[in-house]
Amino acid sequence: MRLLWSQGAEASFRPGEFFGREEELRSLLRVCLEGKSGIGASVLIYGPPNVGKSSLLLKLKSELKSLPQSTAPPCPFPFYYSFSNILSHPLALSQHFLQEYLWQLLVFLGESPPAAFDLDALCDALAARGHVECRDYLSAHLRYSEKGDGLSALANAFSFPFATGGELLYPVFLFDDFQYTIKLQNIPEGAIFSILRPYIKSGHFPMIVSGSSPGHVTSSLKREGLYGSFQLLEVGGLSPDASVAAWGPLFERRKIRIPEHLAVRAAVRLGHIPVYQRMLAEEISFRNVQIEDEVGLENLFALSVTEGKLNRYWREFFENAIPDRVARARAVKFLKRVICDRFPIDTFEGAFSLMGTSPEEGSEILSALEFKGLLKSDFEHIEFVRDPVLADFLFWAFERGVLGKNTSQVAASIVQAKISHDLQEGSGGEQDASAEIAKEMMRRWDCRDVPALLFDFGKFHDKYGDKGLLEVVIGLEGDPRKVRLPKISSVSKGHRTIRGGSRFDFDLVAYGFHDGDFSEENLVIWAVDVNTEKKLVQVAVEHFENRCRLLSLDKGLKPGQLRKWILFDGAADAAVVGLADRYGIHLTHRTQMRLFLNLFGMQELEKGAEERRPPEARAGEQPLEFELVLPMKADTEVVAARVAEEVAAYASLDKDTVDRIKMAIIEACINAFEHSGAETGKVRLRYVLSPERIELFVQDEGKGFRTSAKGDESKQNRGWGLKLISELVDEVHIETGERGTTVRMVKYLRPASDEGSPTTNGEG
Amino acid sequence: MRDLKVKTREAGEGTSVVYVNGYLNSLLGEELEQVVHDALEVGRSNVVLNFEGTRLINSIGISFIIGIVERMAERNGTLAFCSLNRINQDLLRMTGVSRYVRAFDSEEEAIAFFAQTV
């Protein structure tokens, strides 16, 4: 097998064009030199893709090579090796590794670079210089290759460098693109580290590992117990001075002249990242433009990021990183929200939710992004790179792909945003004040002494009655916050994940219109979440905020058009309250949900299922079944209630339970009478009594069940029926079919002692 | 339960006690609404609804009660409930009505409350 010499980063690296990072270089150099005395550590360099990690390694290599020869041997032999993505087969990798090592060693020893990559020839040349041990390694390599034993071949090849050198030199490993070692065929992740482990531990062989996937690499390190032996070095953009200095040779070579203040601005604009600087310089030269002012610079940048070099660069990057088109689109959309719109995401769960995927699909996308260095993750948190150029690229991809805008429109908006961006700065004082109010409000709600504030009955009818609008006060007595509720046109609740469709996952979403005017401008959307945990935590607030942003992006809402509301029962820390306030989320006690739903003619949400466990069934008893057919006439529901009472008598139920069952069946009958629109005028009831529960079936033969109040019915019962039923019994199931609607209600029968003592009362 | 009568008694300055007897559905609800309306018209701003004779209230009945709550609030009147049985208390709680209206165990307590506030 012959492998071609891959001309990688090493060939294009120009030491003279390397600027900045003096401090990093100094400490890396120290680490490398300490290998001589056996106290060398190893370093893991990580950072976003193309930020300059490889350049740093190559610069280090050239520094090591140019060390003064006066020091006593052994001297460091810098061996740069990039685990490129071409070599995913362990046999190919081990062979390439051996070739590279021998070649670089020969060059280091002063031999003129051999013309061909012939392992035998390289080995002979090295043996001629006294390094005979390489023959053993080579024959072992051939043996393993014949057997197809990739892992042994790798172990053999990677051990080889440690056997060479002796007293004269010691190898310093500069391993680049290390993340690819986890993608070797049939080789477990971290195998390379376990081969290298004893050498790393020895302290004699400094190892500088660089990669854009710190999550994977560090977890391999942890697994091998090597985490403590490595120092971590994060590489970001250059220092401002260094990046401005970096323009020098770039402009000079291309004979570009731009005013100095624009060079500074351009460096900032590019996040001080050298690779972008090179691309922008190429773009200027390619388009042969004169940059004279800020607008000119921003225009050129926008052009580059929407259709020029910067755009191509990132487009190809994403095409390589995530080959599947759908997943790629999803990843771009997701990153756009995180990096451009700054959605607060730091958990995997939040990321999946934002992507709208299942955890499996989401994990795949996240791990591809992690692998390519666009995010950092540990077991709990994830952190995304903040790269201004990437952000603009994502903006373009989103606007073009999702919203269908053309490139020049997007470029124009990028320019506009950047030109006006410099002015923005936020203020903080008001937030503190309103956070205080929110806290006080919650305290009051816990005491339940603000009912009078909830409704401004006297006024709303006069003011909004005919328009269906009203104001609710959710503030404090001293400082009430009025919230104007719009005329609600539709309400949906209990939204849960719908695959493929838009998905916002709120407990309740209400669409309404201000001033009774059903036009786009007057659209208002209420997004409501009911928090069922004991304590409202930060993650829940962030999660909610993310979904709200998603909703408002999706619907193209202006800031005031989305109202956010979290209702919760328990407590919340001041920090959480502050956070919610910052996002403009109303926090209120859960009882407010009732008010809200009542106003919208809705039923309250189901409670958590865990509260409602049926007691142990007493086996061996057959259920008793009773049936009743009611004419659809006013007050005949009382008959149904009476039968329920009699049925319950069989089970010796306590009065409270009996009353609840009666009320539930009354409400179900009323609903059947009012909403079914049945022509037969009959409602069938079935009562099924078993030891553990009583089941009630109310079946009409109508056209369907309407769950919310509409039109003239609203005056009559405002959609209370189902809401009450769900409060009164443990389970409600509604089935609508061709033959009508059946409401099935289940009440689990607990031992009488579990209930509070029933109140005796005069009979009506 | 067929006795659809709503009776009223005057209990001191501006206070009326309204006795609701029977199954509180739409028929009784309408009657009740009218009675309270009449009491307000003659200047009685405090109204106690006595539910001692009411065994069941259905959702339509609840909506009439809400209408009364609203009407009272419009007129700056004060409403109180008394002698509610447990299931009716629960219903008023479930629908949120009990958060706007004070409920007393007995008529005497309700009247005493109004006497204090006057």
Side-chain angles (χ1 to χ4, degrees):
Chain A
M1 193 195 304
R2 290 281 185 276
L3 282 162
L4 291 172
W5 168 236
S6 61
Q7 303 264 329
E10 196 165 7
S12 60
F13 177 67
R14 294 189 177 90
E17 291 181 13
F18 185 90
F19 291 91
R21 307 207 197 279
E22 291 85 4
E23 205 175 309
E24 288 94 334
L25 269 175
R26 248 197 318 278
S27 57
L28 287 172
L29 216 61
R30 198 181 59 238
V31 167
C32 295
L33 295 177
E34 278 169 350
K36 184 175 172 179
S37 36
I39 52 165
S42 299
V43 180
L44 171 65
I45 301 176
Y46 66 95
N50 290 296
V51 76
K53 298 185 295 296
S54 301
S55 299
L56 181 60
L57 281 188
L58 291 165
K59 179 71 178 172
L60 179 64
K61 179 180 176 176
S62 83
E63 296 270 305
L64 282 168
K65 270 163 67 177
S66 57
L67 281 176
Q69 293 297 314
S70 56
T71 48
C75 62
F77 155 48
F79 170 56
Y80 173 85
Y81 188 78
S82 166
F83 291 85
S84 74
N85 54 349
I86 320 164
L87 302 171
S88 63
H89 195 279
L91 285 172
L93 177 68
S94 56
Q95 179 168 351
H96 187 256
F97 183 86
L98 280 175
Q99 282 174 348
E100 271 289 327
Y101 188 78
L102 292 173
W103 195 88
Q104 289 194 30
L105 184 60
L106 279 170
V107 173
F108 182 75
L109 292 172
E111 196 105 335
S112 59
F117 259 119
D118 187 333
L119 262 182
D120 291 322
L122 288 170
C123 206
D124 288 342
L126 210 56
R129 301 184 76 105
H131 297 282
V132 285
E133 68 287 340
C134 66
R135 288 227 165 96
D136 302 336
Y137 280 91
L138 196 62
S139 59
H141 174 73
L142 292 172
R143 219 169 39 243
Y144 295 131
S145 295
E146 274 164 24
K147 283 199 287 180
D149 184 351
L151 188 59
S152 304
L154 270 186
N156 175 60
F158 279 84
S159 312
F160 174 55
F162 304 100
T164 51
E167 303 292 302
L168 291 172
L169 54 90
Y170 64 95
V172 169
F173 297 92
L174 308 175
F175 285 143
D176 205 358
D177 294 319
F178 202 79
Q179 73 272 23
Y180 284 103
T181 59
I182 62 168
K183 291 220 165 165
L184 287 169
Q185 288 172 27
N186 304 322
I187 299 293
E189 196 180 324
I192 304 277
F193 273 129
S194 51
I195 296 168
L196 297 175
R197 192 170 188 278
Y199 309 113
I200 294 170
K201 284 277 181 189
S202 77
H204 286 285
F205 303 100
M207 209 166 283
I208 316 294
V209 173
S210 164
S212 54
S213 182
H216 274 113
V217 177
T218 48
S219 62
S220 304
L221 285 175
K222 282 176 185 163
R223 257 200 313 278
E224 297 299 326
L226 285 169
Y227 192 63
S229 316
F230 272 81
Q231 294 172 15
L232 300 183
L233 178 67
E234 182 168 10
V235 178
L238 296 176
S239 69
D241 288 346
S243 68
V244 171
W247 284 125
L250 289 173
F251 287 161
E252 210 166 287
R253 192 157 358 111
R254 296 176 180 83
K255 304 201 172 18
I256 297 167
R257 274 176 221 294
I258 73 169
E260 200 184 326
H261 73 281
L262 288 183
V264 174
R265 184 184 171 107
V268 174
R269 190 70 192 78
L270 300 170
H272 304 294
I273 295 169
V275 68
Y276 294 149
Q277 292 187 264
R278 206 186 67 224
M279 285 183 206
L280 196 74
E282 284 169 7
E283 191 84 60
I284 296 173
S285 154
F286 172 67
R287 294 183 188 267
N288 200 15
V289 285
Q290 283 292 319
I291 308 268
E292 280 157 353
D293 55 8
E294 280 86 352
V295 179
L297 171 68
E298 291 299 342
N299 269 321
L300 180 89
F301 172 82
L303 204 62
S304 183
V305 86
T306 56
E307 56 185 47
K309 273 190 155 299
L310 291 170
N311 181 276
R312 208 157 41 245
Y313 166 74
W314 276 112
R315 223 170 48 222
E316 282 165 12
F317 177 90
F318 277 102
E319 279 163 14
N320 286 331
I322 307 170
D324 176 60
R325 211 169 51 83
V326 176
R328 187 165 67 237
R330 193 164 259 170
V332 165
K333 214 165 143 185
F334 166 70
L335 279 177
K336 191 260 173 184
R337 282 164 189 149
V338 178
I339 296 176
C340 302
D341 307 330
R342 308 229 159 198
F343 279 21
I345 280 274
D346 64 1
T347 58
F348 292 102
E349 198 196 17
F352 301 149
S353 146
L354 191 59
M355 274 190 270
T357 62
S358 64
E360 293 77 33
E361 285 175 295
S363 294
E364 260 174 49
I365 293 174
L366 285 182
S367 93
L369 296 177
E370 204 269 353
F371 188 77
K372 290 290 184 178
L374 292 185
L375 64 93
K376 246 189 331 181
S377 67
D378 61 20
F379 296 110
E380 280 164 2
H381 294 283
I382 44 181
E383 201 182 300
F384 294 84
V385 301
R386 300 284 177 203
D387 178 329
V389 177
L390 173 60
D392 282 327
F393 168 80
L394 292 167
F395 178 75
W396 168 81
F398 180 83
E399 296 278 308
R400 210 177 132 275
V402 178
L403 304 180
K405 293 194 182 154
N406 66 32
T407 288
S408 51
Q409 277 175 318
V410 182
S413 65
I414 290 176
V415 173
Q416 199 174 21
K418 293 304 159 186
I419 299 286
S420 60
H421 191 254
D422 305 338
L423 308 167
Q424 288 177 8
E425 246 347 84
S427 63
E430 286 174 28
Q431 281 173 8
D432 296 344
S434 48
E436 279 306 308
I437 294 170
K439 275 181 247 172
E440 179 64 11
M441 185 174 85
M442 286 159 59
R443 195 183 64 76
R444 290 290 184 100
W445 247 303
D446 284 338
C447 301
R448 298 187 176 213
D449 64 353
V450 284
L453 276 176
L454 297 180
F455 258 130
D456 203 349
F457 280 117
K459 290 180 193 141
F460 88 77
H461 267 315
D462 299 344
K463 212 167 167 185
Y464 302 115
D466 55 334
K467 290 178 185 166
L469 300 173
L470 52 104
E471 264 179 348
V472 203
V473 182
I474 62 166
L476 294 170
E477 246 157 338
D479 186 8
R481 279 191 186 183
K482 281 189 181 172
V483 180
R484 212 173 90 192
L485 292 179
K487 188 173 181 67
I488 296 302
S489 67
S490 77
V491 181
S492 51
K493 65 165 186 159
H495 252 319
R496 287 293 162 214
T497 310
I498 305 160
R499 293 285 293 277
S502 58
R503 161 190 165 284
F504 306 114
D505 238 1
F506 296 102
D507 289 321
L508 190 142
V509 178
Y511 294 80
F513 296 87
H514 270 323
D515 302 322
D517 175 9
F518 291 84
S519 64
E520 246 342 74
E521 301 86 69
N522 279 323
L523 172 72
V524 178
I525 296 183
W526 283 84
V528 185
D529 241 18
V530 182
N531 193 287
T532 49
E533 302 297 319
K534 283 224 170 61
K535 203 166 159 78
L536 183 66
V537 292
Q538 203 153 336
V539 177
V541 174
E542 284 173 355
H543 191 59
F544 178 71
E545 172 66 12
N546 280 334
R547 284 174 288 140
C548 286
R549 291 191 196 187
L550 199 59
L551 181 68
S552 78
L553 268 175
D554 209 79
K555 303 277 173 206
L557 298 177
K558 291 192 276 297
Q561 284 188 295
L562 182 69
R563 307 294 172 81
K564 301 170 271 190
W565 206 344
I566 298 180
L567 298 109
F568 65 105
D569 272 337
D573 287 338
V576 177
V577 177
L579 184 71
D581 201 68
R582 236 177 359 265
Y583 293 144
I585 299 171
H586 299 302
L587 287 182
T588 57
H589 193 269
R590 191 173 157 160
T591 46
Q592 276 288 80
M593 189 65 165
R594 216 180 283 277
L595 169 80
F596 194 79
L597 293 171
N598 294 350
L599 292 169
F600 291 172
M602 290 281 299
Q603 284 76 40
E604 202 174 5
L605 298 159
E606 283 86 19
K607 285 189 183 132
E610 72 281 357
E611 296 168 28
R612 295 170 174 184
R613 294 257 164 70
E616 292 285 305
R618 280 163 280 167
E621 290 183 47
Q622 287 294 315
L624 286 171
E625 201 168 320
F626 303 85
E627 279 198 69
L628 175 70
V629 179
L630 280 185
M632 280 199 185
K633 280 200 164 157
D635 292 356
T636 51
E637 73 272 22
V638 180
V639 178
R642 176 57 61 87
V643 174
E645 198 168 10
E646 295 300 329
V647 171
Y650 272 96
S652 333
L653 300 182
D654 64 271
K655 185 177 182 302
D656 196 47
T657 308
V658 175
D659 280 344
R660 282 169 168 265
I661 291 169
K662 278 164 65 182
M663 280 316 302
I665 205 144
I666 282 175
E667 291 304 331
C669 289
I670 292 174
N671 261 320
F673 296 168
E674 287 191 0
H675 299 302
S676 71
E679 285 159 19
T680 58
K682 279 179 184 155
V683 175
R684 292 179 180 278
L685 293 105
R686 231 153 37 96
Y687 308 76
V688 182
L689 182 67
S690 59
E692 68 275 14
R693 65 181 175 218
I694 181 164
E695 282 172 86
L696 310 161
F697 296 83
V698 178
Q699 185 192 0
D700 65 58
E701 289 159 357
K703 293 163 190 154
F705 201 92
R706 280 175 261 164
T707 53
S708 61
K710 286 181 189 165
D712 55 351
E713 293 156 11
S714 61
K715 172 68 189 161
Q716 283 232 306
N717 73 6
R718 302 175 184 221
W720 289 113
L722 265 186
K723 176 183 139 47
L724 284 178
I725 294 171
S726 64
E727 289 264 358
L728 291 162
V729 296
D730 297 320
E731 283 175 25
V732 190
H733 306 272
I734 300 166
E735 274 179 40
T736 301
E738 281 176 16
R739 298 197 300 151
T741 300
T742 304
V743 180
R744 171 173 170 258
M745 298 169 282
V746 183
K747 179 91 186 152
Y748 291 107
L749 309 177
R750 298 174 187 86
S753 57
D754 280 3
E755 299 281 330
S757 62
T759 316
T760 49
N761 210 299
E763 301 293 289
Chain B
M1 284 192 52
R2 296 284 92 190
D3 182 14
L4 299 180
K5 278 267 163 87
V6 177
K7 291 174 188 151
T8 316
R9 176 174 83 88
E10 289 169 27
E13 270 300 309
T15 302
S16 287
V17 181
V18 179
Y19 299 89
V20 190
N21 291 309
Y23 173 41
L24 184 47
N25 57 5
S26 62
L27 280 175
L28 186 55
E30 267 172 34
E31 200 179 340
L32 178 62
E33 192 172 57
Q34 190 58 48
V35 168
V36 174
H37 180 252
D38 293 344
L40 284 169
E41 286 301 308
V42 297
R44 311 210 157 259
S45 57
N46 298 331
V47 175
V48 180
L49 298 184
N50 186 327
F51 287 105
E52 198 174 341
T54 306
R55 199 175 152 196
L56 295 171
I57 303 175
N58 70 14
S59 56
I60 303 168
I62 297 276
S63 66
F64 278 102
I65 293 176
I66 291 174
I68 291 167
V69 174
E70 288 173 2
R71 176 67 64 86
M72 293 296 291
E74 273 173 36
R75 303 294 187 90
N76 285 324
T78 312
L79 187 68
F81 299 151
C82 72
S83 312
L84 281 160
N85 67 15
R86 180 162 165 163
I87 182 72
N88 289 341
Q89 269 177 28
D90 285 351
L91 289 174
L92 293 172
R93 183 182 49 74
M94 288 170 200
T95 49
V97 175
S98 59
R99 301 183 61 238
Y100 310 113
V101 181
R102 287 196 71 144
F104 298 91
D105 287 347
S106 68
E107 192 183 309
E108 288 75 18
E109 280 176 52
I111 292 167
F113 168 72
F114 280 135
Q116 275 172 18
T117 53
V118 168

